[in-house]
Amino acid sequence: MIGITNQFATYDEQLKDVKWFNTAANYLDRAFAQNSDRFVWETQAKYIKENLTDEQIENAFKNLPAEIYPHESTQVIVENMKKRRDNLVETVNDYYDYLAGLAIMTGTDKDDIVEIDRFQDGKTKVTIYRNKDGEKADIVAQRVFDIRDTQEIWIYALDDDDIIKAMGKGKK
């Protein structure tokens, strides 16, 4: 089978292939996650895991038509959703690892200043500022990347007159 068929999977208790489960939205996920490191992802996953109760999951499914809710296959989905909630932190870390390999940072369609700061410890800090009369103004995006997680960083300085500065002596 060709690779794209990997995105079609059964809704089991465990997400088996994070690379393919949401392939259609990977670029959107990368864009929304440009300022979020692993800590942010884990914090949100822990919050959901600790606050989404079995009762809430069951009640959500009770809103299905009466012909569907009591069906055995629906009950399997309910139980699998509870198990996925229980595995959420592990799943989030797996998905973060997959997305973090390629990071995408995007400026604005106005004048921006992009600073890329390379550090000896394998970290790279990217900061995108608005450019107001040649001076750094509001921070549009900022993130520190670690070579252990991120192998490539794509930076898009969009429209207008942008300034990009790379500094530091980091390798790789």
Side-chain angles (χ1 to χ4, degrees), residues 74-90:
T74 303
Q75 298 312 309
V76 169
I77 293 170
V78 169
E79 291 308 310
N80 285 341
M81 181 171 277
K82 293 175 188 177
K83 291 174 184 171
R84 281 200 179 193
R85 178 215 40 218
D86 295 342
N87 296 325
L88 190 59
V89 175
E90 178 185 335

Side-chain angles (χ1 to χ4, degrees), residues 107-113 130-131 157-162:
T108 70
D109 60 353
K110 306 291 184 195
D111 294 349
D112 293 324
I113 297 172
R130 287 295 317 277
N131 181 346
L158 301 176
D159 208 3
D160 270 349
D161 296 321
D162 298 315

Side-chain angles (χ1 to χ4, degrees), residues 39-61:
F39 176 77
V40 171
W41 286 58
E42 284 182 349
T43 300
Q44 293 303 309
K46 288 175 185 174
Y47 179 85
I48 292 168
K49 181 178 178 179
E50 292 167 4
N51 290 282
L52 181 60
T53 66
D54 288 353
E55 183 180 24
Q56 289 170 321
I57 293 170
E58 291 163 7
N59 286 338
F61 279 88

Side-chain angles (χ1 to χ4, degrees), residues 22-46:
N22 197 29
T23 190
N26 280 345
Y27 291 108
L28 187 60
D29 287 348
R30 288 181 201 283
F32 283 136
Q34 79 175 0
N35 291 323
S36 301
D37 60 14
R38 184 182 304 275
F39 176 77
V40 171
W41 286 58
E42 284 182 349
T43 300
Q44 293 303 309
K46 288 175 185 174

Side-chain angles (χ1 to χ4, degrees), residues 3-30 41 84 87-88 90-99:
I4 194 127
T5 60
N6 291 334
Q7 67 183 314
F8 304 113
T10 304
Y11 191 82
D12 291 330
E13 62 189 59
Q14 183 80 26
L15 183 62
K16 293 181 177 47
D17 191 348
V18 295
K19 178 179 177 182
W20 288 102
F21 97 100
N22 197 29
T23 190
N26 280 345
Y27 291 108
L28 187 60
D29 287 348
R30 288 181 201 283
W41 286 58
R84 281 200 179 193
N87 296 325
L88 190 59
E90 178 185 335
T91 301
V92 159
N93 273 302
D94 290 345
Y95 194 53
Y96 178 84
D97 288 341
Y98 168 67
L99 287 182

Side-chain angles (χ1 to χ4, degrees), residues 130-148:
R130 287 295 317 277
N131 181 346
K132 300 285 186 175
D133 301 318
E135 299 293 324
K136 292 186 262 185
D138 300 331
I139 294 176
V140 173
Q142 183 177 64
R143 176 119 178 253
V144 176
F145 299 96
D146 191 316
I147 190 66
R148 292 175 292 185

